[in-house]
mmCIF file of all heavy atoms in Angstrom:
data_model
loop_
_atom_site.group_PDB
_atom_site.id
_atom_site.type_symbol
_atom_site.label_atom_id
_atom_site.label_comp_id
_atom_site.label_asym_id
_atom_site.label_seq_id
_atom_site.Cartn_x
_atom_site.Cartn_y
_atom_site.Cartn_z
ATOM 1 N N ARG K 229 -26.672 -20.873 -8.737
ATOM 2 C CA ARG K 229 -27.061 -21.467 -10.004
ATOM 3 C C ARG K 229 -26.510 -20.695 -11.174
ATOM 4 O O ARG K 229 -25.967 -21.237 -12.136
ATOM 5 C CB ARG K 229 -28.610 -21.517 -10.096
ATOM 6 C CG ARG K 229 -29.101 -22.359 -11.200
ATOM 7 C CD ARG K 229 -30.638 -22.362 -11.272
ATOM 8 N NE ARG K 229 -31.008 -23.083 -12.458
ATOM 9 C CZ ARG K 229 -31.224 -24.390 -12.489
ATOM 10 N NH1 ARG K 229 -31.170 -25.071 -11.372
ATOM 11 N NH2 ARG K 229 -31.556 -25.004 -13.600
ATOM 12 N N GLU K 230 -26.582 -19.337 -11.060
ATOM 13 C CA GLU K 230 -26.060 -18.472 -12.138
ATOM 14 C C GLU K 230 -24.555 -18.677 -12.289
ATOM 15 O O GLU K 230 -24.034 -18.710 -13.404
ATOM 16 C CB GLU K 230 -26.359 -17.019 -11.765
ATOM 17 C CG GLU K 230 -25.969 -16.012 -12.785
ATOM 18 C CD GLU K 230 -26.174 -14.601 -12.268
ATOM 19 O OE1 GLU K 230 -27.175 -14.312 -11.557
ATOM 20 O OE2 GLU K 230 -25.280 -13.706 -12.575
ATOM 21 N N ALA K 231 -23.863 -18.893 -11.138
ATOM 22 C CA ALA K 231 -22.416 -19.072 -11.189
ATOM 23 C C ALA K 231 -22.030 -20.344 -11.849
ATOM 24 O O ALA K 231 -21.048 -20.372 -12.634
ATOM 25 C CB ALA K 231 -21.843 -18.987 -9.761
ATOM 26 N N ILE K 232 -22.713 -21.417 -11.560
ATOM 27 C CA ILE K 232 -22.229 -22.743 -12.014
ATOM 28 C C ILE K 232 -22.754 -23.139 -13.393
ATOM 29 O O ILE K 232 -22.156 -24.030 -14.038
ATOM 30 C CB ILE K 232 -22.434 -23.817 -10.943
ATOM 31 C CG1 ILE K 232 -23.921 -24.153 -10.755
ATOM 32 C CG2 ILE K 232 -21.757 -23.471 -9.667
ATOM 33 C CD1 ILE K 232 -24.106 -25.323 -9.756
ATOM 34 N N GLU K 233 -23.869 -22.562 -13.849
ATOM 35 C CA GLU K 233 -24.412 -22.874 -15.150
ATOM 36 C C GLU K 233 -23.343 -22.513 -16.198
ATOM 37 O O GLU K 233 -22.913 -21.372 -16.266
ATOM 38 C CB GLU K 233 -25.706 -22.117 -15.418
ATOM 39 C CG GLU K 233 -26.944 -22.884 -15.031
ATOM 40 C CD GLU K 233 -28.220 -22.046 -15.221
ATOM 41 O OE1 GLU K 233 -28.125 -20.848 -15.635
ATOM 42 O OE2 GLU K 233 -29.255 -22.583 -14.936
ATOM 43 N N GLY K 234 -22.940 -23.451 -16.989
ATOM 44 C CA GLY K 234 -21.974 -23.160 -18.056
ATOM 45 C C GLY K 234 -20.535 -23.157 -17.608
ATOM 46 O O GLY K 234 -19.659 -22.962 -18.439
ATOM 47 N N ALA K 235 -20.281 -23.332 -16.323
ATOM 48 C CA ALA K 235 -18.857 -23.311 -15.884
ATOM 49 C C ALA K 235 -18.172 -24.602 -16.220
ATOM 50 O O ALA K 235 -18.771 -25.691 -16.223
ATOM 51 C CB ALA K 235 -18.810 -23.122 -14.318
ATOM 52 N N ASP K 236 -16.923 -24.499 -16.637
ATOM 53 C CA ASP K 236 -16.074 -25.683 -16.913
ATOM 54 C C ASP K 236 -15.435 -26.181 -15.638
ATOM 55 O O ASP K 236 -15.089 -27.373 -15.538
ATOM 56 C CB ASP K 236 -14.990 -25.326 -17.931
ATOM 57 C CG ASP K 236 -15.598 -24.820 -19.246
ATOM 58 O OD1 ASP K 236 -16.113 -25.661 -19.955
ATOM 59 O OD2 ASP K 236 -15.609 -23.608 -19.479
ATOM 60 N N VAL K 237 -15.241 -25.273 -14.709
ATOM 61 C CA VAL K 237 -14.617 -25.632 -13.403
ATOM 62 C C VAL K 237 -15.404 -24.984 -12.294
ATOM 63 O O VAL K 237 -15.772 -23.828 -12.348
ATOM 64 C CB VAL K 237 -13.163 -25.097 -13.366
ATOM 65 C CG1 VAL K 237 -12.490 -25.425 -12.001
ATOM 66 C CG2 VAL K 237 -12.311 -25.670 -14.510
ATOM 67 N N ILE K 238 -15.677 -25.781 -11.208
ATOM 68 C CA ILE K 238 -16.198 -25.202 -9.960
ATOM 69 C C ILE K 238 -15.120 -25.300 -8.955
ATOM 70 O O ILE K 238 -14.644 -26.411 -8.630
ATOM 71 C CB ILE K 238 -17.470 -25.944 -9.514
ATOM 72 C CG1 ILE K 238 -18.600 -25.769 -10.543
ATOM 73 C CG2 ILE K 238 -17.918 -25.415 -8.142
ATOM 74 C CD1 ILE K 238 -19.848 -26.559 -10.191
ATOM 75 N N TYR K 239 -14.709 -24.134 -8.456
ATOM 76 C CA TYR K 239 -13.551 -24.087 -7.529
ATOM 77 C C TYR K 239 -14.087 -23.615 -6.178
ATOM 78 O O TYR K 239 -14.568 -22.506 -6.042
ATOM 79 C CB TYR K 239 -12.544 -23.075 -8.055
ATOM 80 C CG TYR K 239 -11.189 -23.120 -7.394
ATOM 81 C CD1 TYR K 239 -10.103 -23.723 -7.971
ATOM 82 C CD2 TYR K 239 -11.014 -22.611 -6.088
ATOM 83 C CE1 TYR K 239 -8.877 -23.788 -7.330
ATOM 84 C CE2 TYR K 239 -9.809 -22.686 -5.459
ATOM 85 C CZ TYR K 239 -8.742 -23.269 -6.072
ATOM 86 O OH TYR K 239 -7.493 -23.328 -5.437
ATOM 87 N N LEU K 240 -14.004 -24.510 -5.174
ATOM 88 C CA LEU K 240 -14.643 -24.214 -3.886
ATOM 89 C C LEU K 240 -13.608 -23.719 -2.890
ATOM 90 O O LEU K 240 -12.453 -24.146 -2.885
ATOM 91 C CB LEU K 240 -15.300 -25.511 -3.366
ATOM 92 C CG LEU K 240 -16.431 -25.953 -4.304
ATOM 93 C CD1 LEU K 240 -16.747 -27.417 -4.126
ATOM 94 C CD2 LEU K 240 -17.675 -25.074 -4.104
ATOM 95 N N LEU K 241 -14.085 -22.806 -2.045
ATOM 96 C CA LEU K 241 -13.238 -22.223 -0.998
ATOM 97 C C LEU K 241 -13.884 -22.487 0.345
ATOM 98 O O LEU K 241 -15.122 -22.488 0.468
ATOM 99 C CB LEU K 241 -13.076 -20.706 -1.201
ATOM 100 C CG LEU K 241 -12.391 -20.262 -2.450
ATOM 101 C CD1 LEU K 241 -12.502 -18.727 -2.572
ATOM 102 C CD2 LEU K 241 -10.939 -20.685 -2.457
#
Side-chain angles (χ1 to χ4, degrees):
R229 192 182 175 90
E230 184 186 321
I232 67 176
E233 267 176 359
D236 300 287
V237 178
I238 296 177
Y239 193 104
L240 297 159
L241 297 172

